[in-house]
Amino acid sequence: MLKLSIVIPAYNEEGSIAETVQTLYEVLQKYKIDHEIVVINDNSKDNTIQVLQGLQQQVHSLVYYTNDGPNGFGYAVRYGLEKFSGDCVAVMMADLSDDPVDLVRFYHRMLEDNVDCVFGSRFIKGGKLIDYPFHKFVINRMANTIIRMVIGTRYNDATNAFKLYKKETIAGIQPLMAPHFNLTIELSLKTIVRGYTYTVVPNSWRNRKAGVSKLKIREMGSRYFFILMYCFIEKFFSRGDYKKNILHTDSKVK
């Protein structure tokens, strides 16, 4: 069995983080999965840190750190990926938009298929969207179509942060450089480009019930494009220097 770590970046999430952590803990306890919940307080200006302090009395698998800076979604996740202690690690959102039951399915598929990663997709049979803003849906589908064409992959939800990686995979896709939400595609595309094995399973997504989304679409376009080009250049011009099989391991993709 693998110890599961969950990295959750949190910026001004006092209205959501308690329910997210408690629900996640209850589900993982129910399925008897050895785990730790790693929350990265991204220098919040509200009472997120006080909420986390109180949660530690109830959720014994919770650890939290404060990222004093530089700040941003990517920086916070990267901070957490340096701190986790498990054999595999998932990235989840602080607003309970990701379903903990889906995480259990990811974990069991990783064990069953013996793959390096499990990717979620909200846009395959069995995937589900609840209260997804229409304009974000349109932009998401356009962005993922471009990503698929540029990288040459059938995976259709690279912008989805909710994925599970083995510890060795995270080590193998370093260095990570994206500071913002473009880290979501850097993690998944480097995994694909470097030849790690993965399984895609459907997952659900629901809109947050409290707080405000931190994703600013207008600000992120060029940043996503930069990471996409970075991964494109690595795939076609690095001569395989970073691929998993160069490290003398199996590079078969499922």
Side-chain angles (χ1 to χ4, degrees), residues 176-190:
L176 296 170
M177 56 191 300
H180 301 292
F181 281 91
N182 50 345
L183 182 70
T184 58
I185 68 168
E186 182 177 11
L187 288 168
S188 55
L189 295 187
K190 275 188 175 176

Side-chain angles (χ1 to χ4, degrees), residues 193-244:
V193 166
R194 295 190 182 182
Y196 287 88
T197 60
Y198 64 92
T199 293
V200 181
V201 298
N203 73 281
S204 62
W205 183 95
R206 88 170 46 241
N207 205 356
R208 63 167 56 240
K209 293 187 286 186
V212 179
S213 172
K214 313 305 184 296
L215 175 60
K216 307 298 182 186
I217 293 176
R218 288 189 202 176
E219 299 175 7
M220 289 307 301
S222 62
R223 289 168 173 154
Y224 276 102
F225 183 74
F226 167 71
I227 293 298
L228 177 58
M229 289 299 98
Y230 175 85
C231 293
F232 172 81
I233 289 169
E234 179 176 310
K235 177 175 181 179
F236 290 101
F237 297 100
S238 69
R239 296 181 177 271
D241 288 342
Y242 306 102
K243 286 183 72 68
K244 183 185 175 188

